[in-house]
Amino acid sequence: MQLGMIGAGRMGGNMALRLIRSGHECIMYDRNPGALKAIVAKGAKGAKSPDEFIGMLSSPRVVWLMTPAALVDKILEEVAPLLDPGDILVDGGNSYYHDDIRRAASLKEKGIDYVDVGVSGGVWGLDRGYCMMIGGKAEAVKRLEPILEALAPGPSQIQRTSGRTGALSQAENGYLHCGPNGAGHFVKMIHNGIEYGMMAAIAEGLNILKNAGIGLTFEGADAETAPLRRPEYYKFDFPLPDIAEVWRRGSVISSWLLDLTADALYKNPDLTGFAGRVSDSGEGRWTLQAAIDQGVPAPVIGSALFSRFSSRGMDDFADKVLSAMRWEFGGHKEKE
């Protein structure tokens, strides 16, 4: 099957390469000549402009966007006028599902089907496959089936869930039509919110282990610090790389995130080179907003999101206010 993909970066380029390996034809367009050249060298066909890109595609066309969410509307302004009724436009980035619903309605007026696909798999997806959560009309999703099957991981080595029998379902193959437009990115949004919480829990637990030797350097109490009552209880020097490694093997918290953590700690136990500034690309915020709109408690995801804000220095002024108040009411100096 032929597919046109806009975006030849880490995700788009690897997805195209996986499709090429499965025998599909990929027409690529990217504003970055270097990224485009790299994927063309691996078997894709490259276009130098949106007009050339659309002209290289056979009707009815399938155009898949793998770009940052902030660029999607701008790209649609360039590409949508070049499309014809019956074409399919897929947004495989991390767009806000509200935008999907708006874009789908606008494109429907032109006879163009819009499909939102939340894609998870990261840089490992080239070999492992990509988990995909899909929103859109059933007929459009059905047309995409050969592409989805090639990108998905398939059943791989994962044991079937108890009670599932017969032919493998979409979900068991690693992709799922979740509902109408917006549904795919809604499910991916929640997936990423959960990811925030899981990552935060692993990081916090390892941080407690990292500091479990505080009793070895304890120098006594002072007026500005709560005392460590029993220093003898905190004289451990834990081998964090080995702890992460043993947790991977048979524990109830074993996971791919833990696998990646163990790999990172083995290569770099002190995590030298990382500043600890953790970005958020929007999905955690949108997950929390959905929870608020629905009146659904989500304290773990909320805490994980705010922790990311804190990592970027967004609580510095609040901390200064706290210090100022302590000085004003009690003459407490900041401890160096």
Side-chain angles (χ1 to χ4, degrees), residues 148-183:
L148 300 172
E149 289 178 348
L151 289 172
S156 62
Q157 303 300 314
I158 299 175
Q159 185 176 356
R160 294 195 82 173
T161 299
S162 178
R164 284 188 178 267
T165 58
L168 294 175
S169 66
Q170 281 187 349
E172 290 178 290
N173 278 304
Y175 66 97
L176 180 66
H177 182 203
C178 300
N181 287 119

Side-chain angles (χ1 to χ4, degrees), residues 138-221:
E139 297 85 352
V141 176
K142 182 67 175 176
R143 277 181 54 195
L144 294 173
E145 200 88 22
I147 297 296
L148 300 172
E149 289 178 348
L151 289 172
S156 62
Q157 303 300 314
I158 299 175
Q159 185 176 356
R160 294 195 82 173
T161 299
S162 178
R164 284 188 178 267
T165 58
L168 294 175
S169 66
Q170 281 187 349
E172 290 178 290
N173 278 304
Y175 66 97
L176 180 66
H177 182 203
C178 300
N181 287 119
H185 279 148
F186 191 101
V187 175
K188 177 57 163 40
M189 173 182 79
I190 303 304
H191 164 281
N192 283 25
I194 293 170
E195 178 184 300
Y196 281 27
M198 292 175 66
M199 292 175 68
I202 293 171
E204 289 176 9
L206 289 170
N207 196 29
I208 295 170
L209 291 171
K210 175 75 172 176
N211 288 281
I214 189 173
L216 296 170
T217 57
F218 181 66
E219 297 179 353

Side-chain angles (χ1 to χ4, degrees), residues 8 21 36 80 95 148 194 262 269 278 304:
R21 289 177 178 177
L36 189 61
S95 287
L148 300 172
I194 293 170
V278 187

Side-chain angles (χ1 to χ4, degrees), residues 213-236:
I214 189 173
L216 296 170
T217 57
F218 181 66
E219 297 179 353
D222 61 66
E224 297 301 322
T225 308
L228 181 63
R229 295 181 59 190
R230 302 297 296 269
E232 64 272 22
Y233 290 165
Y234 298 99
K235 294 187 176 182
F236 301 107

Side-chain angles (χ1 to χ4, degrees), residues 124 128 198 202 206 240-241 243-251 253-267:
W124 295 82
R128 288 170 53 104
M198 292 175 66
I202 293 171
L206 289 170
L240 298 190
I243 289 173
E245 186 65 33
V246 74
W247 281 352
R248 293 180 57 216
R249 303 174 184 279
S251 85
I253 64 168
S254 58
S255 64
W256 189 39
L257 283 174
L258 190 56
D259 293 344
L260 297 174
T261 304
D263 185 58
L265 288 171
Y266 180 75
K267 292 185 294 188

